[in-house]
Amino acid sequence: MSEIDPRPRAVPARPLGELVASLEQVRILGPEANRTLAISGFTMDSRAVRPGDLYAAVPGASVHGAQFAADAARLGAVAVLTDEQGAKTAVDSGLPLVVVPEVRPVLGRIGAALYGHPAEAMTMLGITGTNGKTTTSFLMEGGLRAAGLHSGIIGTTGTRVGDQAVKSVRTTPEAPDLQALLEAMRRDSVEAVAMEVSSHALAYGRTAGIRYKVAAFTNLTQDHLDFHADFEDYFEAKAKLFTPGYTALAVVNTDDPYGRRIAERAASLGVRVWTISPSGAADADWRAENTDLGPDGSGFDLVGPDGTRRRAGVRLPGAFNVANALTAVVSLIGAGVDPEAAVAGVAGVAGVPGRIQPIDAGQDFLAIVDYAHTPDAISTLLASLRPVTRGRLRIVVGCGGDRDRAKRPLMGAAAARGADEVVLTNDNPRSEDPLQILAAAEAGARDAVAAGASAEVEVCADRAEAIARAVGRSEPGDTVVVAGKGHEQGQEIAGVIHPFDDAAVLRAAIQHAAARPEVTG
């Protein structure tokens, strides 16, 4: 099986004038011949430029990308796309300039035009929300495979085309990279794609140029308020996905109050809406009834708009995974997948990396790794593990640096309310002081204890040591959950990414504890 190039050359190369023909307020500076320049690639990264590329220079947090236009020219870029500010700097590169009022909003449209609108050749399923995107996308892809479709998946844990992994660095790639990736999928004969759509992607317009056959909404809870002005701004970013230019069908969890807002707004804009209710609300178009929760997964009746019932299931524990499974099955049906294949495919997905991932090293207690990194996700995770825990429930968790600071005490409080023991530790401190991050989380946890939570709370900055402590105290029937990083393979401290895999560290801690000689009196 050949390796997939995530950024293939556009074939045929496209004239620059053709790529920007649909844009308003665009100027191509220089002679008329610049409009016929052949463009065969597109990137925002000056270091990744290849001969024939259009280089997009956007303003960054500290510097404008136009400052690297000369570097792009040396690597073979043939033109620069930028704004009025960037044009003043990029002119020194000697390259033709394409000047627009704002660069980011047009990137998706240019990328789609360059590659001949690859998304139109595939069935596109998009999924957004605070929690559940990754799991739901994996469940969707399981249904696509069960239907016999050659499928792709794009999201937090990476990108996959069939069984081939393709390197990615964002939940939703930047617009030029996303369109190139979709073209790579089309060339590999992919028929359908399950794709996470982040609020950052929607705010930046990364998915412009894609119209989804189905767009699904899971839920909305506090996250990313370091990026969004406030919670309402966060909501508005998510809501963009459910507008006529983005999707044909909206599948919306109306158990969530923000889902109700999205469903009502989408319908008012002329988008077809299917509402879903994991709790079985009778006013939803699709709902789950007779749910049977278990430690190894759950079963439920899928009830459709016509009252038809099918027994469905998911091999992942917790009520929230019933919600994810319901979202996936209904989205698949909306995309034209046979209902039986959709149900069977979702039920057949054995697991998702870093999402309630069991770690079995021969121990007599339950050990779990999960990506939960918001207050609501922590609460939901612990609530799902409580029924399958005969003994004590322990959580090891931290908060990321350079991210939403307001959620840190809320995360600590959620951990203290849901667990019997809480070990607060480092997550990815990034450029911040780790001890200040821990202090904020600890304050929330201590406040929750003062308000009646019964958890024991301790702080251990070293993540490996924190995991070892929790494991060392665990007995038969207990549960240890290591939360916050999930599938991640590194820990970023002071700008340096150190290798760190929660699953591997947890497994090693269990093996080390089992190898210790017992002390007898």
Side-chain angles (χ1 to χ4, degrees):
M1 186 178 290
S2 61
E3 184 177 344
I4 291 175
D5 181 358
R7 195 163 81 84
R9 299 280 82 189
V11 179
R14 308 272 179 174
L16 179 60
E18 176 185 315
L19 299 183
V20 300
S22 67
L23 306 184
E24 299 176 356
Q25 301 180 41
V26 59
R27 294 183 296 139
I28 300 179
L29 304 185
E32 186 66 20
N34 287 343
R35 292 184 171 274
T36 63
L37 282 171
I39 306 296
S40 58
F42 189 27
T43 184
M44 295 170 60
D45 185 347
S46 61
R47 300 163 298 182
V49 166
R50 300 175 184 175
D53 275 1
L54 171 64
Y55 169 56
V58 303
S62 55
V63 298
H64 198 293
Q67 294 188 21
F68 306 105
D71 296 332
R74 281 191 288 272
L75 289 174
V78 294
V80 177
L81 170 71
T82 191
D83 54 20
E84 295 289 350
Q85 177 189 355
K88 298 174 184 177
T89 302
V91 68
D92 293 337
S93 69
L95 294 176
L97 304 182
V98 181
V99 184
V100 292
E102 291 184 82
V103 180
R104 282 191 177 276
V106 305
L107 295 176
R109 292 162 64 186
I110 292 176
L114 175 64
Y115 292 106
H117 303 277
E120 294 180 1
M122 298 174 281
T123 297
M124 300 294 300
L125 293 86
I127 173 74
T128 198
T130 305
N131 303 313
K133 294 188 299 296
T134 298
T135 298
T136 303
S137 67
F138 269 74
L139 296 175
M140 284 178 175
E141 204 240 354
L144 295 173
R145 287 185 176 225
L149 298 172
H150 184 38
S151 58
I153 189 167
I154 301 172
T156 306
T157 61
T159 295
R160 194 175 69 245
V161 179
D163 294 320
Q164 298 183 75
V166 180
K167 184 178 180 181
S168 62
V169 296
R170 292 181 176 86
T171 297
T172 311
E174 293 283 7
D177 298 327
L178 176 57
Q179 292 296 331
L181 179 58
L182 292 172
E183 171 62 3
M185 289 183 170
R186 178 170 64 175
R187 293 184 186 184
D188 199 63
S189 302
V190 167
E191 298 166 281
V193 179
M195 175 181 168
E196 295 181 53
V197 184
S198 68
S199 63
H200 291 67
L202 290 162
Y204 280 142
R206 290 178 191 160
T207 52
I210 300 173
R211 191 166 187 265
Y212 297 90
K213 189 164 187 178
V214 180
F217 172 82
T218 58
N219 51 63
L220 200 70
T221 62
Q222 181 169 338
D223 201 10
H224 302 305
L225 296 191
D226 56 308
F227 176 78
H228 297 284
D230 51 32
F231 197 84
E232 189 65 16
D233 183 58
Y234 181 36
F235 166 78
E236 290 294 343
K238 294 288 191 184
K240 287 181 181 179
L241 186 59
F242 305 94
T243 54
Y246 271 107
T247 191
L249 170 66
V251 172
V252 183
N253 176 10
T254 47
D255 281 357
D256 185 287
Y258 290 96
R260 287 192 172 271
R261 285 181 62 186
I262 284 176
E264 291 168 1
R265 182 184 297 186
S268 72
L269 295 172
V271 175
R272 189 161 60 107
V273 177
W274 283 358
T275 59
I276 63 172
S277 172
S279 69
D283 62 346
D285 298 317
W286 298 81
R287 58 192 183 274
E289 292 185 354
N290 300 323
T291 298
D292 180 20
L293 299 176
D296 300 317
S298 304
F300 61 94
D301 286 348
L302 172 69
V303 184
D306 57 358
T308 301
R309 290 177 179 267
R310 292 179 177 85
R311 193 62 182 169
V314 60
R315 293 168 63 182
L316 303 169
F320 61 95
N321 277 316
V322 171
N324 293 334
L326 178 63
T327 304
V329 170
V330 174
S331 297
L332 288 162
I333 294 172
V337 172
D338 176 76
E340 297 302 327
V343 168
V346 167
V349 176
V352 180
R355 271 62 177 179
I356 311 194
Q357 179 182 349
I359 304 300
D360 186 357
Q363 78 278 11
D364 48 14
F365 56 88
L366 183 62
I368 296 290
V369 168
D370 192 79
Y371 191 54
H373 62 282
T374 68
D376 180 74
I378 290 169
S379 296
T380 303
L381 171 65
L382 293 173
S384 73
L385 294 173
R386 178 62 71 183
V388 298
T389 303
R390 300 194 311 274
R392 294 178 68 77
L393 176 56
R394 296 178 178 84
I395 184 170
V396 179
V397 67
C399 307
D402 299 335
R403 299 292 186 269
D404 185 357
R405 299 187 179 199
K407 73 178 183 180
R408 295 170 187 172
L410 302 178
M411 290 174 63
R417 286 193 294 264
D420 299 307
E421 297 179 23
V422 178
V423 185
L424 296 170
T425 189
N426 283 341
D427 187 285
N428 292 310
R430 298 185 176 90
S431 69
E432 286 194 64
D433 180 351
L435 297 182
Q436 289 186 1
I437 299 173
L438 282 168
E442 183 182 14
R446 301 291 182 196
D447 286 346
V449 171
S454 59
E456 299 175 13
V457 179
E458 69 174 298
V459 175
C460 177
D462 184 285
R463 192 172 181 90
E465 174 60 23
I467 293 171
R469 288 187 189 183
V471 167
R473 291 196 288 265
S474 293
E475 299 178 351
D478 289 356
T479 295
V480 174
V481 56
V482 180
K485 289 172 57 60
H487 64 284
E488 294 177 359
Q489 298 294 298
Q491 185 177 33
E492 185 175 348
I493 303 173
V496 178
I497 298 178
H498 304 269
F500 201 102
D501 178 349
D502 275 355
V505 173
L506 178 54
R507 181 175 289 107
I510 294 169
Q511 293 169 340
H512 180 75
R516 288 193 307 240
E518 294 186 10
V519 178
T520 58

